[in-house]
Amino acid sequence: MRDFIAHPEHGIVWISGASSGIGRALALRLAGEGYKVAVTARSHEKLVELQAEANGLSGSIIVLDGDVTDAEDMEHVMASIEYEHGTLAMAILNAGVYLPVHAEDLNRTDFEKSFAVNLSGVVNCLLPAIRHMKAKGQGQIAIVSSVTGYGGLPTGAAYGATKAALINMAESLKFDLDKMGIRIQLVCPGFVDTPATRKNAFPMRALVSVEEAAREIAAGLKSQAFEITFPRRFTTMLKLARLLPYSVYFTLVNRVTGWRERPPSAGRHPVTPHAAE
């Protein structure tokens, strides 16, 4: 039996973190394929601009403002989808923030905000989405993580920890969601050209545009794959690197990033792949 794949006729696609980056590009991509896409973010103005840009496409954009860190907000968004716009067929949980962490200047706020947006923000969307899909007996969920979740990278102590948690969350939920007719997928992009990654002070290997990322994700959502990851060669290398002994892994990461040679004062730049926005 093949897993459920949401098509435009099945209902609404909900994308969190759709005001910029991958979320925005993916919303336009899916609207262009005929989907009715509900977009959520804190920036109303950016969402309205996105909605206007989708005019003329075969699908459409619905603006539903909300802060993923507010569970009540996400309940309201889900209620609006259900009672005003139609059945939720797919939820793409993409909202995220990247805050670099440096051991010489640890800040509790960086961890708390990262966990609130990247981890609790996903849970706040996930709970009402699953409840709705369970009642309908079908649905599709995509959780946007990152290859940063495969293993520790410089400055990624907060961001990477949340992305590793999302990988484990998606893997764990799959066992039960399969039995409920709800399909869950994991999205792990490599380096994507977003405002966050443009701060990187080193050449980013296998960098892809947000449009290319959206194209890869849109294709993956229609496949039977559990994990959607790209570019394949780069992300496969990162997976294999994590199988190495720690002594080799740390040496390899230091060599590739040049991190060990950087003085502490120079370490104020991110060294991390995709940060969903």
Side-chain angles (χ1 to χ4, degrees):
M1 180 177 177
R2 292 174 65 83
D3 292 333
F4 173 75
I5 296 177
H7 294 288
E9 62 269 22
H10 290 131
I12 309 290
V13 176
W14 177 24
I15 303 179
S16 67
S19 62
S20 66
I22 290 177
R24 188 181 193 282
L26 184 57
L28 288 172
R29 178 83 188 186
L30 294 179
E33 294 179 359
Y35 289 89
K36 194 173 185 180
V37 184
V39 292
T40 298
R42 292 180 299 174
S43 175
H44 176 75
E45 292 76 14
K46 289 183 179 180
L47 293 183
V48 170
E49 291 173 3
L50 172 60
Q51 185 180 49
E53 191 171 341
N55 287 340
L57 298 179
S58 56
S60 61
I61 299 286
I62 304 165
V63 173
L64 297 175
D65 299 339
D67 183 346
V68 296
T69 66
D70 187 326
E72 189 173 336
D73 256 12
M74 296 304 98
E75 291 285 352
H76 289 159
V77 168
M78 186 66 253
S80 180
I81 291 173
E82 186 171 11
Y83 296 112
E84 298 175 26
H85 302 289
T87 298
L88 177 66
M90 184 192 306
I92 301 171
L93 309 183
N94 166 77
V97 63
Y98 171 63
L99 300 172
V101 170
H102 304 272
E104 71 269 21
D105 185 26
L106 290 177
N107 186 323
R108 180 182 298 275
T109 302
D110 291 341
F111 286 92
E112 291 176 343
K113 184 175 181 180
S114 297
F115 296 162
V117 176
N118 301 356
L119 192 52
S120 294
V122 168
V123 172
N124 290 340
C125 299
L126 194 63
L127 297 184
I130 289 177
R131 186 174 64 246
H132 176 93
M133 292 175 180
K134 180 181 177 182
K136 302 297 180 182
Q138 67 180 23
Q140 185 173 354
I141 296 169
I143 294 178
V144 180
S145 179
S146 165
V147 293
T148 309
Y150 293 164
L153 294 174
T155 77
Y159 180 77
T162 64
K163 295 305 181 178
L166 291 180
I167 291 172
N168 190 285
M169 181 189 296
E171 292 170 347
S172 300
L173 287 172
K174 187 178 189 309
F175 296 101
D176 287 332
L177 293 180
D178 280 350
K179 295 186 289 185
M180 296 162 59
I182 301 172
R183 182 178 180 215
I184 189 166
Q185 289 174 286
L186 176 67
V187 183
C188 289
F191 286 109
V192 179
D193 186 13
T194 68
T197 57
R198 286 174 200 145
K199 299 175 186 176
N200 286 337
F202 63 95
M204 290 177 283
R205 298 189 177 196
L207 180 71
V208 301
S209 67
V210 290
E211 291 78 17
E212 185 176 349
R215 185 165 58 250
E216 290 278 1
I217 294 171
L221 293 171
K222 300 175 189 66
S223 75
Q224 290 293 313
F226 168 69
E227 185 184 30
I228 302 168
T229 184
F230 56 89
R232 277 283 180 178
R233 181 176 296 180
F234 174 70
T235 60
T236 298
M237 285 194 309
L238 286 179
K239 276 190 175 183
L240 292 175
R242 202 60 195 88
L243 299 176
L244 297 170
Y246 274 121
S247 58
V248 180
Y249 175 78
F250 292 134
T251 299
L252 179 63
V253 172
N254 271 316
R255 181 176 299 169
V256 171
T257 63
W259 198 257
R260 184 177 291 278
E261 286 70 40
R262 293 170 182 260
S265 59
R268 316 316 287 174
H269 300 284
V271 179
T272 188
H274 156 72
E277 299 184 10

